[in-house]
Amino acid sequence: MIEVANRLHTVEEYYFSKKLREVNLLIANGKPIINLGIGSPDMQPPQKVIDAIANSFSNPNAHKYQSYQGLPELRDAMAAFYKEHFKVPLSPTSEILPLMGSKEGIMHISMAYLNEGDAVLIPNPGYPTYESVTKLVGAKSVFYELDEANNWAPDLKALSKMDLRKVKLMWVNYPHMPTGAQPSKFLFEELVAFAKKHNILVVNDNPYSFILNNSPKSILSVKGAKDVCLELNSLSKTFNMAGWRVGMVVGDSKHISNILKVKSNMDSGMFYGIQKGAIEALKCSSMWFSTLNSVYQQRRDLVWKLAEALGCSYDKEATGLFVWAKLPAHLKSEEFIDSVLKNNHIFITPGTIFGSKGEGYIRFSLCASTDVLEEALSRVI
Ligand SMILES: Cc1ncc(COP(=O)(O)O)c(C=O)c1O
């Protein structure tokens, strides 16, 4: 019997990995399940992205190992994108590191900065990977609670009163998943001041800023933010490229070179064609965003109706790829989604997978066509 590493006992199989087995079994048994659980964009990337990837195959350099830091043209395109959309100037040579999706950045940043026993501030509700990676590197999760009453913003005054001496890293994620909350005007300024005061690296995970959101924001637009903040970004949702795995971490060169030390020991560069495709995506005009969002808007209108038909309430100001809906009082998220799965054959994510503060909420994905959403609606009204 070969024993696994102790760290493996700290994490469990990802919720979707388990639950989708159950959903797939229902499908195999002939149940017409509609999956509104996962946020995997179902639309195509821009055609020029597909063409660039396809055309790359005939380039003899496409098959070689690629640079650990990505193609210089890719970093140039990422810098131009940040300048255009967030008004943040970045050096393409030292302040940008392309990633294979932003998810891997969560591990690389944690490996670069956390020792065993260090503490990490993690949002509740929040993306489950922050906690699992923290456990895998032997650090300690310290959850900060987010409340609807405060538009899902951290209470930095209350946090400042805690003993933060062991805290090295804080994950923030605005626009926030799963709630879709936008950062208030001053939140990023306050976070930068908090990071400086307590000597904490604040990382804003920012993959949803272009979905149903007219004012994309970067934490790096705050003066002095680069010293104490990093930002993760991704092409997964913005350009329907989730399966291609392209993202980036941006920030001060000293942080980027620390992360590169980890990453360059983990992989040997991103496939050339994907980088060429990403360059084309990043150059898209505003037309791309308006076309994409007009589809998501139609879908969201239907999901709002579906949420209402299920007796839920929701915030019309929320952004992003999901609708976060509040259940009628006293209903439990997991029991509720199980009954909708059983009775209506619709799979919705229970809020509890994002932490205890997700109890009483459910999350609908907008990654389903209007036809599918109309069918879902017809099953509950
Ligand atoms: C909050 C958040 N961060 C990061 C990711 C990872 O995205 P990717 O690795 O595709 O860039 C996701 C994906 O669902 C997410 O919801």
Side-chain angles (χ1 to χ4, degrees):
M1 172 72 171
I2 298 172
E3 273 296 310
V4 296
N6 291 339
R7 76 174 64 84
L8 214 64
H9 300 303
T10 66
V11 289
E12 280 181 31
E13 186 184 353
Y14 201 52
Y15 171 83
F16 281 117
S17 164
K18 265 191 294 191
K19 193 74 186 177
L20 288 178
R21 262 201 304 276
E22 184 186 327
V23 170
N24 287 335
L25 198 63
L26 290 170
I27 296 171
N29 288 333
K31 302 280 187 273
I33 304 293
I34 292 177
N35 186 347
L36 302 182
I38 215 150
S40 181
D42 57 313
M43 288 183 273
Q44 292 287 289
Q47 187 56 43
K48 60 177 184 164
V49 170
I50 299 173
D51 293 343
I53 296 171
N55 292 338
S56 74
F57 299 154
S58 53
N59 184 322
N61 290 327
H63 314 288
K64 297 179 176 169
Y65 286 125
Q66 298 298 313
S67 156
Y68 294 101
Q69 286 171 273
L71 292 169
E73 310 92 276
L74 175 58
R75 281 180 275 116
D76 287 344
M78 288 173 167
F81 185 82
Y82 252 76
K83 185 97 182 61
E84 181 183 347
H85 296 285
F86 298 115
K87 310 280 174 285
V88 171
L90 293 168
S91 158
T93 50
S94 61
E95 293 183 323
I96 300 176
L97 181 61
L99 299 172
M100 297 183 207
S102 57
K103 189 172 183 177
E104 73 156 1
I106 299 171
M107 177 57 97
H108 293 336
I109 293 168
S110 301
M111 295 272 280
Y113 285 96
L114 297 174
N115 289 316
E116 276 195 24
D118 283 340
V120 183
L121 288 169
I122 296 178
N124 174 11
Y127 185 46
T129 303
Y130 310 135
E131 184 192 7
S132 47
V133 166
T134 300
K135 285 176 169 170
L136 286 170
V137 299
K140 183 171 172 280
S141 306
V142 177
F143 292 98
Y144 60 94
E145 297 195 340
L146 304 177
D147 279 298
E148 189 172 351
N150 195 24
N151 197 29
W152 309 102
D155 182 345
L156 294 177
K157 280 204 184 97
L159 277 180
S160 279
K161 288 185 191 142
M162 287 169 47
D163 181 357
L164 297 172
R165 280 173 297 178
K166 290 215 155 173
V167 176
K168 197 82 171 287
L169 190 65
M170 176 180 191
W171 293 106
V172 297
N173 160 225
Y174 291 99
H176 182 244
M177 196 292 299
T179 67
Q182 280 271 55
S184 70
K185 195 156 171 246
F186 300 110
L187 179 61
F188 284 159
E189 276 93 338
E190 287 163 0
L191 279 166
V192 172
F194 176 82
K196 288 195 170 172
K197 183 169 170 204
H198 299 285
N199 199 26
I200 293 171
L201 180 64
V202 170
V203 187
N204 186 40
D205 182 18
N206 193 7
Y208 292 101
S209 29
F210 296 93
I211 310 298
L212 293 171
N213 177 19
N214 294 326
S215 54
K217 293 188 187 75
S218 163
I219 198 166
L220 296 183
S221 62
V222 176
K223 202 163 169 271
K226 275 188 200 165
D227 292 337
V228 284
C229 298
L230 285 167
E231 190 157 86
L232 289 169
N233 217 312
S234 171
L235 279 68
S236 294
K237 329 284 175 178
T238 311
F239 298 108
N240 300 332
M241 292 173 70
W244 289 106
R245 313 304 302 131
V246 202
M248 67 198 92
V249 53
V250 298
D252 186 86
S253 58
K254 65 178 181 295
H255 295 309
I256 297 299
S257 61
N258 291 336
I259 299 163
L260 179 61
K261 247 192 213 175
V262 175
K263 183 171 159 63
S264 59
N265 281 294
M266 296 271 189
D267 66 65
S268 300
M270 192 192 305
F271 173 56
Y272 174 82
I274 295 176
Q275 299 191 63
K276 292 302 252 187
I279 293 167
E280 290 306 316
L282 291 161
K283 287 190 207 153
C284 279
S285 71
S286 57
M287 184 72 163
W288 166 259
F289 301 98
S290 49
T291 311
L292 182 74
N293 282 312
S294 70
V295 176
Y296 281 132
Q297 205 166 339
Q298 287 171 24
R299 293 177 175 191
R300 188 174 60 179
D301 287 345
L302 286 166
V303 170
W304 282 347
K305 285 190 187 149
L306 181 61
E308 281 164 30
L310 289 167
C312 301
S313 56
Y314 51 86
D315 176 5
K316 286 203 163 179
E317 299 302 314
T319 63
L321 200 61
F322 306 97
V323 169
W324 179 245
K326 189 173 187 166
L327 296 175
H330 312 305
L331 289 188
K332 298 272 182 217
S333 306
E334 291 185 27
E335 285 169 19
F336 187 85
I337 70 108
D338 279 340
S339 89
V340 176
L341 183 59
K342 186 162 163 261
N343 300 323
N344 309 96
H345 298 136
I346 303 169
F347 174 51
I348 310 162
T349 306
T352 42
I353 75 156
F354 306 105
S356 58
K357 294 292 284 183
E359 182 57 280
Y361 293 87
I362 54 174
R363 191 196 75 171
F364 299 85
S365 163
L366 299 180
C367 300
S369 70
T370 48
D371 286 351
V372 169
L373 292 170
E374 268 160 12
E375 165 64 22
L377 189 55
S378 74
R379 290 186 192 178
V380 290
I381 50 177

